[in-house]
Amino acid sequence: MKKEILINSVGNEIRIAITEEAKLAELFVESPEKERMVGDIYLGRVAKVMAGIQAAFIDIGMQQDGFLHFSDISSYQDEFNTMLDEDDDDEEENGEPGQHGAAVAKPKVEKRQRDDRRRDVTLTKGQEIIVQVTKEPVGKKGVRVTSQVSLPGRFLVLLPFDGKIGISKKIISFRERRRLRRLVRTILPQGFGVIVRTNAENQDEKLFLQDLESLLKTWRDIEATAKEEKPPALIYKDMATTSSVIRDLFTEQVEHVVVDDKRLFREIKSYIKIYSPEMADRIEYYSKREPIFDAFGVEKEIATLLTRKVWLKHGGYVIIEPTEAMTVIDVNSGRYAASREQEENSLRTNLEAAREICRQIRLRDLGGIIVIDFIDMLDDRNKKKVYDEMKKEFKRDRAKHTILPLTEFCLMQITRQRQRQSIIHSFSEPCPTCGGSGMIQSKTTILSNIERWLRRFRTESNEWHLRLRISPSMKEFLMNGKLFNRKNRLIFRFRTWLNVEEDKSLPIDEFQFISVKQDKDITTEFVN
């Protein structure tokens, strides 16, 4: 499969597109307003412990506290606490230098064996704790955090206080897995663990050592910062989106990285020359006048991200409707099919839709519960074909997911874990008029709300002169006509004189009543 990474920089915004077979598969947007948070490490303070939901809320200095599930609490939390309590002299006494001179915490074997079993969580309100962001805020929900801190590098993921060694499952060769495990054991300081990444396959020991020393230095800096700061405090900022994409996703499968910014091009080239010099010639600078995303056909595909309808090649289409609780996707054939061909046409459309839906889920980074309503099919073998197609396409997805077979009514349920907000949030914001629902109240409904307000006003007040502020379109609706327009009908019906005023700042479904006698807004005094 041909994969490319395209990087476009305009002003303060950087867009990174990953294409597969020349089609957009993933999109990342980096700007000052949409700063990446996953991977950041904080010294926090426990704000609440909620045993009923098996979670704690951690104050890390944001508007909303971070959510820490008990399952995300490190088995070695006590060692983190010890690290925070130690001063520099204690560190030299209790730690021991690793092979590369790093003073690290000495593991306690008996304690770890005991902690491997399920244990009670002993967090208390006000306790200091080091946590790492694993999921960015979504809607009104704050960030999700873990105390199982990890530091990703190009070839290794460093696990402080965790002595295990893991190898990526994507490295299949038994001989290579054994070589990597032996290599890591010879260079890893005591008291640390690592996960060997897929990029490490067939790499030289020198590059491993380089990567490890860089990660150990980063961790030593984090330790020092944690001891100096008071919670809540940010003690480690992970790489920006561009750097993290190159670190994590620039693998042997990527044929080219094309960048249209000279500074970014030099930075990426320098980084790759250090850690993967054999891949440096795959990085290209784009200098043509035509915008890079236009040249590679990506800009048109980005435009479809903001639409709810996505057309399929052979005339069908899918409707994607995100809701508060889940995302609902509906598959439609788009044209009439004769009854004798209905099953065959339904299968063909469903298979085509399955491939496009998988791409859209990755592209939009949809998460949580996803329900897909495929076109009805009677043959169970055809349902299995669609299920198998979805599983095959989802193998490209890096996010954790679960796919269930089609039900009797051709419904499929998917759960998918995402780390960042849906990409749509990077290009849009809720409509100030409809609040993001896509719907507004009709003018007749708004008029009914005004009438109900006036009815309550007349029963509770002796005033008879009001100013009514409404949106321009609503004013036009009330004033339409001459003698018997809607405004005059309100005056006669409720025996209240109304001066109607246009207010462009008001949404169409809002209104304000001003008492002329009191010279103040009295709208809220007569609501339900």
Side-chain angles (χ1 to χ4, degrees):
M1 177 189 297
K2 181 183 178 183
K3 292 183 69 173
E4 292 178 311
I5 297 177
L6 312 174
I7 302 177
N8 167 232
S9 176
V10 178
N12 291 327
E13 183 180 78
I14 298 174
R15 298 183 299 172
I16 306 112
I18 298 176
T19 65
E20 295 173 355
E21 300 297 346
K23 293 191 72 175
L24 184 61
E26 292 185 70
L27 182 67
F28 304 88
V29 179
E30 180 182 351
S31 66
E33 298 80 25
K34 306 287 183 182
E35 195 173 18
R36 171 185 160 92
M37 298 171 63
V38 172
D40 292 353
I41 300 176
Y42 287 83
L43 176 60
R45 191 183 299 279
V46 178
K48 288 181 187 175
V49 179
M50 311 275 291
I53 61 171
Q54 295 284 292
F57 289 89
I58 312 298
D59 177 14
I60 56 175
M62 295 185 183
Q63 187 174 359
Q64 292 147 323
D65 293 336
F67 178 84
L68 174 64
H69 193 270
F70 286 176
S71 62
D72 291 324
I73 296 176
S74 172
S75 301
Y76 315 113
Q77 186 58 49
D78 293 340
E79 295 183 31
F80 277 106
N81 296 340
T82 301
M83 183 201 80
L84 291 174
D85 292 337
E86 290 171 350
D87 57 27
D88 292 341
D89 293 336
D90 289 337
E91 184 178 353
E92 288 183 12
E93 183 178 320
N94 294 331
E96 61 181 35
Q99 283 181 263
H100 309 294
V104 298
K106 194 172 183 178
K108 299 172 182 145
V109 176
E110 292 181 4
K111 181 182 184 303
R112 291 195 173 182
Q113 291 173 346
R114 185 172 68 252
D115 282 346
D116 283 339
R117 299 189 294 269
R118 184 179 178 86
R119 64 187 180 94
D120 293 330
V121 174
T122 57
L123 290 181
T124 56
K125 185 177 179 180
Q127 176 182 338
E128 293 185 11
I129 184 172
I130 292 178
V131 292
Q132 186 171 33
V133 177
T134 59
K135 183 187 283 189
E136 293 183 350
V138 178
K140 296 180 180 179
K141 296 180 180 178
V143 297
R144 181 156 184 164
V145 298
T146 178
S147 70
Q148 300 171 8
V149 175
S150 61
L151 294 176
R154 175 72 175 160
F155 307 116
L156 304 170
V157 178
L158 184 67
L159 308 174
F161 304 121
D162 189 339
K164 72 179 181 183
I165 296 175
I167 309 288
S168 168
K169 293 180 180 178
K170 293 183 179 179
I171 300 177
I172 301 172
S173 168
F174 174 76
R175 180 175 295 179
E176 178 62 9
R177 292 176 68 88
R178 185 173 59 182
R179 182 188 78 89
L180 291 170
R181 192 177 295 276
R182 286 176 178 173
L183 177 57
V184 167
R185 280 177 178 159
T186 61
I187 66 174
L188 187 65
Q190 190 175 10
F192 284 86
V194 294
I195 297 172
V196 180
R197 309 187 72 170
T198 309
N199 290 346
E201 190 169 14
N202 300 320
Q203 294 293 343
D204 187 78
E205 179 181 351
K206 179 183 176 183
L207 296 175
F208 267 66
L209 185 57
Q210 226 169 6
D211 201 24
L212 180 61
E213 286 181 337
S214 174
L215 293 172
L216 288 170
K217 181 183 182 303
T218 300
W219 179 247
R220 289 195 295 271
D221 292 342
I222 292 171
E223 284 183 313
T225 305
K227 291 172 184 176
E228 293 172 359
E229 294 286 348
K230 292 183 179 180
L234 174 67
I235 58 175
Y236 170 72
K237 181 71 183 170
D238 195 18
M239 286 183 170
T241 304
T242 307
S243 302
S244 65
V245 166
I246 296 300
R247 178 191 66 194
D248 300 337
L249 303 182
F250 185 25
T251 62
E252 287 290 342
Q253 288 72 41
V254 177
E255 294 187 6
H256 301 284
V257 175
V258 188
V259 192
D260 68 357
D261 182 88
K262 283 187 177 180
R263 180 184 61 82
L264 277 176
F265 169 74
R266 287 193 294 266
E267 287 179 5
I268 294 170
K269 192 99 171 177
S270 298
Y271 175 81
I272 292 300
K273 279 183 177 179
I274 294 172
Y275 291 103
S276 299
E278 75 285 356
M279 298 173 67
D281 59 351
R282 301 188 192 186
I283 303 164
E284 303 173 8
Y285 173 63
Y286 182 86
S287 58
K288 298 178 182 177
R289 294 186 64 182
E290 183 182 14
I292 183 173
F293 277 16
D294 288 347
F296 285 85
V298 169
E299 203 68 64
K300 289 182 180 178
E301 295 195 60
I302 292 176
T304 66
L305 290 177
L306 301 179
T307 64
R308 52 193 291 271
K309 179 183 283 189
V310 179
W311 287 98
L312 304 176
K313 187 176 179 180
H314 293 96
Y317 61 91
V318 298
I319 300 291
I320 303 174
E321 292 281 10
T323 72
E324 187 73 21
M326 65 178 70
T327 300
V328 180
I329 301 177
D330 186 33
V331 180
N332 295 277
S333 62
R335 60 187 178 188
Y336 175 78
S339 57
R340 63 186 176 86
E341 300 173 348
Q342 185 172 347
E343 184 78 6
E344 181 183 339
N345 285 337
S346 296
L347 174 61
R348 184 180 63 189
T349 304
N350 282 339
L351 289 174
E352 188 178 357
R355 291 186 285 271
E356 183 60 31
I357 287 170
C358 289
R359 189 173 79 97
Q360 290 293 330
I361 287 174
R362 291 175 60 201
L363 193 50
R364 300 177 186 226
D365 199 18
L366 301 177
I369 299 173
I370 303 168
V371 176
I372 305 171
D373 183 8
F374 284 102
I375 300 170
D376 287 342
M377 296 180 295
L378 300 177
D379 194 331
D380 287 340
R381 291 173 297 180
N382 289 338
K383 293 179 182 178
K384 187 175 186 306
K385 288 178 182 178
V386 174
Y387 174 60
D388 290 341
E389 187 70 17
M390 289 292 288
K391 288 199 298 181
K392 184 188 80 173
E393 291 295 315
F394 258 102
K395 286 181 180 178
R396 303 179 187 180
D397 192 5
R398 293 176 291 109
K400 293 181 181 178
H401 57 268
T402 303
I403 307 172
L404 299 182
L406 275 72
T407 68
E408 178 184 354
F409 302 106
C410 276
L411 297 174
M412 175 181 285
Q413 179 177 310
I414 298 171
T415 59
R416 182 177 184 270
Q417 186 181 62
R418 68 177 172 208
Q419 295 182 334
R420 55 194 171 108
Q421 285 193 347
S422 170
I423 193 65
I424 293 176
H425 288 90
S426 298
F427 295 107
S428 61
E429 58 185 30
C431 169
T433 300
C434 69
S437 69
M439 303 289 287
I440 58 173
Q441 293 181 1
S442 66
K443 292 183 178 66
T444 54
T445 300
I446 299 166
L447 178 59
S448 297
N449 291 339
I450 291 173
E451 290 178 354
R452 280 191 286 271
W453 189 96
L454 285 168
R455 184 175 290 109
R456 287 190 292 273
F457 171 78
R458 291 307 308 140
T459 59
E460 300 177 31
S461 175
N462 294 322
E463 294 185 47
W464 59 272
H465 192 181
L466 299 173
R467 301 202 325 260
L468 172 60
R469 289 179 181 167
I470 49 179
S471 67
S473 60
M474 194 62 197
K475 180 182 178 182
E476 183 181 352
F477 180 71
L478 285 186
M479 306 298 288
N480 186 31
K482 295 184 179 179
L483 182 61
F484 293 106
N485 59 32
R486 295 179 179 88
K487 171 203 166 185
N488 290 335
R489 288 175 186 171
L490 290 174
I491 290 173
F492 289 126
R493 183 174 181 182
F494 296 103
R495 298 181 181 179
T496 302
W497 185 256
L498 296 176
N499 292 333
V500 179
E501 301 175 355
E502 177 182 306
D503 189 339
K504 294 180 179 180
S505 66
L506 280 177
I508 189 173
D509 57 353
E510 290 186 16
F511 56 86
Q512 292 177 346
F513 278 103
I514 310 298
S515 166
V516 174
K517 181 180 179 180
Q518 303 176 60
D519 193 25
K520 72 172 187 177
D521 187 346
I522 59 171
T523 312
T524 58
E525 296 179 21
F526 301 97
V527 295
N528 285 332

